[in-house]
C-alpha cells in the first residue's frame, strides 16, 4: 500500500435529489419519451450505483421530486439555504444535486451566485429516464460524486458533470431536446472532463462566484419571493402587448431575448422605452444561443438606460437581474457593472 493510499480518508459527499429525468420512470424500458420525470427516490438512485461507495460516503436528501420545468424561485431559495447549511458542516466535503436537464442551467447559475462556500458543488442530470435501456443517469451521478469528492474541484464555482464533461454553471446551456450529449458551453468551452475516476481541468472561471459573490440570501425577504422579472423575445412582427401587460402587472425587470447582438424590434423598443420611464430595469440578451451581447453605439443602451447581458443567456440574465434587484440595485450603471463582473 502506498503512503497516499494509507492516509486516504474517504470524503463525505451530500447528494440532494430534486427530480428530473434522472429520477424518471416509464412503463417500458424501451421508452425514452412519454415517461414521468421526478418519480424515483434518492435511495433508489443511489442503490443503482454501488461504485459510489468506493468514491465517497454519501449523505442523501430528497429536497423535491419534480420535473424541472416546474421549478420556481421558492425552491431555488430552499435549495440554496440547504446547500449553504450542509457545506457549513465540517464533515461534508462536497455536494451533488441531481436535477432535471430542462432548467439545470438556471438552478446552477442561481447557486453559483448564492452559495457562500468554496467546497465543490456539482449538478448532474440525465436525458434518459432511470428505467430506460442505456439510461445515462447512473454514470452521470457517479461522475458527479467523483468530482465533488475532489479537493481540486473546490473554488471553481458551481460545476455540472454531464456526459463525462465538466461545465461551469455560468457557461452551460442545454443544446439538444433529445441527445444524450445534451449540453454545451458555447464560446467558453468545457472546464474539463471526468471519466473512469479521473478528473482533468483545462481552464478556470474568471467571473466572480460563490465566496466572492456580493449576493446574500439574507437580502431576500422571508416571503420566499424575488423581484418579478420576466423574459420576452424580439421577433418579426412582434407586438408591444406583452411588455405593456408586464409593466401594468408591476414587473420590476424585463430581459429581452433580442435578435443577433441583442437588437430589438422598433415596436418593442418603443414599449421598452415606456417601461424604462416607469422604472422597469431592462437587460438585452440574445436569442441566438452563443456569442455575446456587447454595448455598442448602434444599440439604445445609453439613451434608454438598457443593460447588456454579455455572454449570459436570457435565462441566466434573469437570475442575475432578480438578485441585483433584490439587493436594491436598479440603476443601469450599477446593473451593467454587475453584468460585467458576474
Ligand atoms: C426535467 O427537466 O425535469 C425533465 C427533463 C430532463 O430531466 O431531461
Amino acid at each position: 500500500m502506498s503512503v497516499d493510499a494509507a492516509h486516504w480518508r474517504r470524503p463525505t459527499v451530500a447528494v440532494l435529489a430534486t427530480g428530473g429525468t434522472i429520477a424518471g420512470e416509464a412503463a417500458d424500458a424501451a421508452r425514452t419519451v412519454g415517461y414521468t420525470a421526478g418519480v424515483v427516490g434518492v435511495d433508489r438512485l443511489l442503490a443503482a450505483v454501488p461504485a459510489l461507495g468506493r468514491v465517497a460516503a454519501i449523505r442523501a436528501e430528497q429536497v423535491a421530486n419534480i420535473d424541472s420545468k416546474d421549478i420556481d424561485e421558492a425552491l431555488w431559495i430552499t435549495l440554496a439555504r440547504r446547500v449553504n447549511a450542509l457545506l457549513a458542516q465540517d464533515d461534508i466535503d462536497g455536494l451533488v444535486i441531481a436535477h432535471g436537464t430542462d432548467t439545470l442551467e438556471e438552478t446552477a447559475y442561481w447557486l453559483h451566485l448564492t452559495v457562500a462556500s468554496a467546497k465543490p458543488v456539482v449538478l448532474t442530470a440525465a436525458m434518459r429516464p432511470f428505467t430506460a435501456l442505456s439510461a445515462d443517469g447512473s454514470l452521470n451521478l457517479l461522475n458527479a460524486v467523483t468530482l465533488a469528492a475532489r479537493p481540486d474541484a473546490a473554488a471553481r464555482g458551481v460545476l455540472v458533470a454531464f456526459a463525462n464533461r465538466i461545465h461551469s454553471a455560468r457557461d452551460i446551456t442545454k443544446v439538444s431536446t433529445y441527445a444524450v450529449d445534451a449540453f454545451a458551453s458555447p464560446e467558453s468551452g468545457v472546464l474539463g472532463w471526468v471519466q473512469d475516476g479521473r478528473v482533468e481541468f483545462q481552464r478556470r472561471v474568471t467571473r466572480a462566484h460563490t465566496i466572492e459573490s456580493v449576493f446574500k440570501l439574507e437580502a431576500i425577504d422571508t416571503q420566499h419571493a424575488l423581484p418579478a422579472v420576466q423574459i420576452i423575445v424580439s421577433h418579426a412582427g412582434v407586438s408591444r402587448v406583452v411588455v405593456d401587460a408586464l409593466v401594468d402587472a408591476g414587473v420590476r425587470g424585463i430581459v429581452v431575448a433580442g435578435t443577433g447582438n441583442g437588437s430589438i424590434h422598433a415596436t418593442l423598443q418603443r414599449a421598452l422605452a415606456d417601461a424604462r420611464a416607469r422604472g422597469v430595469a431592462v437587460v438585452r440578451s440574445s436569442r441566438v444561443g452563443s456569442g455575446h451581447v456587447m454595448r455598442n453605439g448602434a444599440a439604445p443602451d445609453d439613451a434608454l438606460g438598457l443593460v447588456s447581458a454579455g455572454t449570459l443567456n436570457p435565462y441566466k440574465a434573469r437570475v442575475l437581474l432578480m438578485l441585483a434587484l433584490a439587493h436594491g440595485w436598479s440603476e443601469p450603471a450599477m446593473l451593467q457593472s454587475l453584468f460585467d463582473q458576474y
Side-chain angles (χ1 to χ4, degrees):
M1 187 187 284
S2 72
V3 174
D4 280 354
H7 289 92
W8 185 73
R9 176 186 67 81
R10 193 165 65 141
T12 299
V13 172
V15 175
L16 307 189
T18 67
T21 294
I22 193 167
E25 197 167 54
D28 179 335
R31 297 191 81 143
T32 57
V33 291
Y35 59 90
T36 309
V39 175
V40 177
V42 66
D43 292 337
R44 222 171 122 209
L45 292 185
L46 294 169
V49 197
L52 284 171
R54 292 202 299 270
V55 177
I58 305 292
R59 298 247 195 100
E61 288 186 21
Q62 190 81 50
V63 176
N65 211 355
I66 61 167
D67 189 319
S68 80
K69 71 180 174 56
D70 296 324
I71 206 156
D72 59 16
E73 293 86 6
L75 184 52
W76 278 349
I77 294 168
T78 301
L79 191 58
R81 288 195 175 132
R82 192 65 196 133
V83 169
N84 279 314
L86 284 165
L87 294 180
Q89 296 177 19
D90 291 339
D91 57 347
I92 299 278
D93 297 292
L95 188 141
V96 166
I97 298 168
H99 199 283
T101 60
D102 285 348
T103 59
L104 177 143
E105 63 205 69
E106 293 164 68
T107 301
Y109 189 54
W110 161 260
L111 295 171
H112 195 64
L113 300 180
T114 57
V115 168
S117 171
K119 290 180 184 174
V121 176
V122 183
L123 276 77
T124 196
M127 286 299 284
R128 293 183 179 151
F130 182 78
T131 48
L133 294 170
S134 277
D136 51 328
S138 293
L139 187 56
N140 284 342
L141 188 58
L142 179 61
N143 283 336
V145 171
T146 301
L147 185 59
R150 292 272 301 230
D152 59 345
R156 294 179 185 269
V158 170
L159 306 173
V160 179
F162 199 90
N164 294 122
R165 298 195 176 96
I166 305 168
H167 298 262
S168 167
R170 190 183 188 283
D171 303 322
I172 190 168
T173 191
K174 188 169 177 180
V175 293
S176 175
T177 56
Y178 73 94
V180 177
D181 193 5
F183 286 92
S185 290
E187 292 300 319
S188 319
V190 299
L191 291 184
W193 301 269
V194 50
Q195 188 167 19
D196 295 3
R198 291 180 60 85
V199 171
E200 196 179 315
F201 285 103
Q202 66 164 353
R203 70 175 181 90
R204 281 196 165 273
V205 176
T206 55
R207 296 299 187 100
H209 56 74
T210 57
I211 49 174
E212 307 141 0
S213 172
V214 289
F215 302 109
K216 306 286 170 235
L217 281 176
E218 299 75 49
I220 297 156
D221 67 38
T222 49
Q223 303 304 307
H224 268 212
L226 283 156
V229 174
Q230 293 293 317
I231 299 167
I232 61 166
V233 182
S234 188
H235 55 85
V238 70
S239 133
R240 63 175 291 153
V241 176
V242 175
V243 173
D244 292 341
L246 288 174
V247 175
D248 287 343
V251 82
R252 302 264 313 280
I254 294 175
V255 175
V256 188
T259 38
N261 179 34
S263 57
I264 300 171
H265 193 292
T267 303
L268 211 49
Q269 191 166 307
R270 282 190 288 276
L272 290 167
D274 294 343
R276 285 290 305 129
R278 291 172 66 182
V280 175
V282 178
V283 173
R284 288 191 306 116
S285 181
S286 176
R287 65 182 206 178
V288 168
S290 68
H292 62 180
V293 170
M294 254 202 176
R295 289 183 80 83
N296 67 48
D301 294 349
D302 292 338
L304 298 185
L306 308 190
V307 175
S308 60
T311 51
L312 287 182
N313 70 26
Y315 322 107
K316 296 187 199 193
R318 175 176 177 264
V319 170
L320 181 52
L321 182 55
M322 282 193 298
L323 276 169
L325 293 173
H327 284 70
W329 296 314
S330 59
E331 285 306 308
M334 179 59 183
L335 290 175
Q336 189 62 66
S337 150
L338 293 170
F339 272 82
D340 291 345
Q341 287 173 67
Y342 291 86

